[in-house]
Amino acid sequence: MANPKGFILYRIWYGDNLAYLGRTKQPLQSRIHGHLFKKPMHRSINIELVTKIEYAEFQSESDMNLYEIYFIN
């Protein structure tokens, strides 16, 4: 995985099902690590079910927010 910077929207998939849609301004690797490896009661993603992680970088926070709304709909 590259080390993108800036405004990032990411999607975590379980097979063909979108399990999580997130956005971040912090480094993507540390954000994903938090989802996968926190203590079990705080973990939001089951690493055993993850099949794909996609991300997109944006020039502005408003662009990132628009795409988040698009993917939610």
Side-chain angles (χ1 to χ4, degrees):
M1 178 184 304
N3 193 13
K5 296 178 176 74
F7 303 99
I8 303 164
L9 188 65
Y10 59 97
R11 298 184 289 176
I12 300 175
W13 295 85
Y14 291 173
D16 292 335
N17 298 311
L18 180 60
Y20 190 84
L21 174 65
R23 58 186 174 151
T24 186
K25 292 184 261 183
Q26 68 186 37
L28 182 59
Q29 288 177 333
S30 64
R31 184 75 170 127
I32 297 294
H33 186 271
H35 286 301
L36 300 176
F37 299 107
K38 284 184 180 178
K39 292 181 181 180
M41 66 185 296
H42 300 292
R43 193 178 309 145
S44 58
I45 300 296
N46 183 344
I47 191 170
E48 294 174 1
L49 298 176
V50 173
T51 57
K52 178 172 49 173
I53 298 174
E54 300 175 320
Y55 71 93
E57 299 175 66
F58 298 94
Q59 295 295 317
S60 71
E61 188 169 9
S62 59
D63 286 342
M64 177 182 67
N65 292 336
L66 285 172
Y67 274 89
E68 179 186 33
I69 292 167
Y70 172 78
F71 285 125
I72 289 171
N73 287 327

